[in-house]
Structure formats: C-alpha cells, structure tokens
Amino acid sequence: IARDDLGKYHTYEDRGIRRRALIAVGRLDYHDPDDLIPVDEKIQVLGANGDYTILDVEDCDIDYKVGDIIEFVVRYGTMVYLTKSRNVKVIFK
C-alpha cells in the first residue's frame, strides 16, 4: 500500500476477476476520479493515476471495446481541469 500522487491512501475491495476499461485521462487531466460520473450507471470508476482512469464495466449492457466513447457528467472543479487540457476535446450538446 502506497500513497497516490496526492498523498492519499486508498483501499480497494477485492471483487475477483472483473472486466475493466482504461480511459486515457487521469488525475493530471481532471484531478479527482470521484468527480467523474459515468452516464452509463452500470460503470464504476475505480480509481486513477496521473495518466489513466480504471473503470469496472463488468455489469454493463454495452460490450465496450477499444475506441468506444464513454460519456461522463463532471462536477465543476473537474470541468475546470478538463477544459484547461489541450488533449481533451469538449463537445457541446
């Protein structure tokens, strides 16, 4: 057990072998994974490092594949981080 990039310790429940997805945005892009709320309510955000976020997609009705788009609702502080990043594309609907 070690501290994360913000100096916090985390504990994780062992849920066995589950299907996971990695998305190429991490704490450096948005700061706090608790501020990402997947539109697909069956997705769970498990955690993140500086570059990636880990999602549990085992219970989803959609069989997510590489290149699929996963939508999120984000809290204000996270939106500030995301819109500062030149690597994040913002789409208004």
Side-chain angles (χ1 to χ4, degrees):
I1 297 176
R3 292 181 189 191
D4 68 11
D5 52 332
L6 300 175
K8 297 180 182 177
Y9 290 101
H10 299 276
T11 58
Y12 299 97
E13 174 188 355
D14 183 355
R15 299 180 65 201
I17 297 173
R18 310 251 323 152
R19 190 156 190 256
R20 308 275 198 247
L22 291 177
I23 58 174
V25 292
R27 289 181 185 273
L28 292 175
D29 300 306
Y30 65 82
H31 182 66
D32 189 353
D34 291 335
D35 287 349
L36 289 181
I37 304 156
V39 172
D40 182 337
E41 295 177 355
K42 294 185 177 181
I43 294 175
Q44 285 188 303
V45 177
L46 299 178
N49 67 15
D51 296 321
Y52 297 98
T53 300
I54 304 166
L55 308 174
D56 183 329
V57 296
E58 178 73 25
D59 298 325
C60 294
D61 297 327
I62 298 169
D63 183 22
Y64 290 103
K65 304 249 186 274
V66 172
D68 286 349
I69 295 172
I70 297 177
E71 295 183 17
F72 296 88
V73 173
V74 293
R75 294 191 176 106
Y76 177 76
T78 295
M79 182 61 72
V80 171
Y81 269 82
L82 285 170
T83 55
K84 288 188 328 184
S85 175
R86 62 183 170 174
N87 299 320
V88 175
K89 182 178 180 182
V90 178
I91 300 172
F92 295 94
K93 290 186 176 184

